[in-house]
């Protein structure tokens, strides 16, 4: 008797069933939870956007959260407008920067603002009611040594509450931070419209 050929749909279903069984086996062993140190870095676009996407997830889950914005604090961004106008009871937003260093042209002032931002960040991270803190563009402040990387790493590893998540964004993340992070994503630049003479646009860049 000639065997009936197996259809593509049946082969696909069998293949997916095996994948699901393997995946379920792996997931069954994943039971632990902890507050994560998350780094978004690299030259590509999307570091802050990803961080704010996670903030919106927290808001959707009614998880109290907070944002401390380093460097870009002088900008009027869509994220800030949305959060302050609609979700201030769930998400604190602190814009502590005054612009990029080539705009302020005042290193002492940049350092002062970065230190104020870090002080606010520590306060928020230690607040037991807050479960998720986004430190937007802090890697820029660390890159220029406006903040002490050793102090930031020490605080995150020794004083951060066990179940509090902290996201740190900005290109050129320091190796010391990458080493202690639980999750590191590097955004890769492939193409960017700025290189073709197109300026940053509302809804895309801010």
């Amino acid at each position: 008797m000639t065997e009936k050929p197996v259809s593509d749909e049946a082969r696909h279903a069998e293949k997916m069933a095996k994948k699901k069984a393997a995946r379920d086996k792996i997931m069954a062993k994943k039971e632990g939870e902890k507050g994560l140190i998350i780094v978004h870095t690299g030259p590509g676009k999307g570091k802050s956007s990803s961080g704010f996407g996670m903030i919106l997830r927290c808001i959707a889950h009614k998880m109290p959260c907070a944002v401390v914005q380093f460097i870009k604090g002088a900008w009027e961004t869509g994220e800030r407008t949305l959060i302050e106008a609609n979700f201030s009871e769930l998400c604190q937003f602190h814009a502590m920067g005054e612009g990029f260093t080539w705009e302020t042209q005042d290193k002492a002032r940049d350092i002062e603002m970065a230190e104020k931002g870090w002080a606010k960040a520590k306060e928020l991270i230690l607040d037991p009611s807050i479960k998720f803190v986004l430190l937007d563009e802090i890697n820029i402040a660390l890159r220029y040594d406006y903040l002490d990387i050793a102090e930031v790493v020490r605080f995150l590893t020794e004083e951060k509450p066990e179940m509090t998540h902290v996201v740190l964004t900005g290109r050129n993340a320091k190796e010391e931070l990458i080493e202690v992070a639980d999750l590191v994503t590097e955004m890769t630049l492939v193409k960017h419209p700025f290189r073709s003479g197109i300026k940053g646009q509302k809804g895309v860049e801010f």
Side-chain angles (χ1 to χ4, degrees):
M1 186 181 212
T2 305
E3 288 188 15
K4 186 177 180 181
V6 179
S7 68
D8 289 342
E9 291 82 358
R11 278 194 293 268
H12 176 76
E14 183 181 1
K15 183 179 179 181
M16 292 302 107
K18 289 179 179 178
K19 281 192 174 184
K20 184 180 185 307
R23 178 71 176 172
D24 289 347
K25 186 176 181 181
I26 292 171
M27 293 303 295
K29 298 177 182 178
K30 310 293 184 184
E31 296 179 350
E33 291 186 348
K34 62 172 288 191
L36 302 176
I37 299 171
I38 301 169
V39 175
H40 294 159
T41 192
K45 177 175 167 50
K47 299 176 288 292
S48 295
S49 300
S50 180
F52 278 109
M54 298 175 86
I55 284 288
L56 290 178
R57 282 182 188 161
C58 290
I59 290 171
H61 287 298
K62 301 194 182 307
M63 287 174 56
C65 53
V67 177
V68 179
Q69 202 161 43
F70 294 77
I71 310 299
K72 292 189 300 190
W75 294 11
E76 290 187 15
T77 64
E79 297 96 338
R80 180 179 177 183
T81 300
L82 176 71
I83 290 169
E84 290 184 336
N86 298 281
F87 305 112
S88 59
E89 76 286 357
L90 273 173
C91 182
Q92 296 187 42
F93 200 114
H94 300 273
M96 309 298 290
E98 295 181 328
F100 289 98
T101 187
W102 56 84
E103 295 170 334
T104 63
Q105 299 175 23
D106 186 341
K107 184 176 181 180
R109 180 66 174 169
D110 290 343
I111 292 172
E112 178 187 355
M113 296 306 295
E115 289 176 344
K116 285 183 178 179
W118 177 235
K120 175 56 69 174
K122 290 192 289 185
E123 174 190 324
L124 294 166
I125 292 168
L126 291 173
D127 185 335
S129 70
I130 295 174
K131 304 304 179 186
F132 188 107
V133 181
L134 170 60
L135 306 182
D136 188 39
E137 299 288 6
I138 190 175
N139 289 337
I140 305 298
L142 289 167
R143 175 190 180 188
Y144 287 113
D145 296 320
Y146 294 166
L147 297 173
D148 181 1
I149 183 62
E151 157 61 13
V152 171
V153 168
R154 184 206 63 75
F155 177 84
L156 292 174
T157 55
E158 296 180 11
E159 294 191 45
K160 181 186 75 66
E162 183 179 1
M163 294 306 295
T164 300
H165 304 293
V166 179
V167 178
L168 306 94
T169 76
R171 62 176 61 198
N172 299 115
K174 295 227 173 184
E175 286 300 320
E176 297 95 322
L177 181 59
I178 290 173
E179 185 176 343
V180 300
D182 300 289
L183 172 61
V184 179
T185 299
E186 183 173 12
M187 308 295 185
T188 301
L189 176 62
V190 178
K191 293 180 72 174
H192 198 294
F194 187 78
R195 292 182 172 181
S196 301
I198 300 172
K199 67 180 183 179
Q201 300 175 82
K202 186 183 295 184
V204 178
E205 300 287 347
F206 57 92

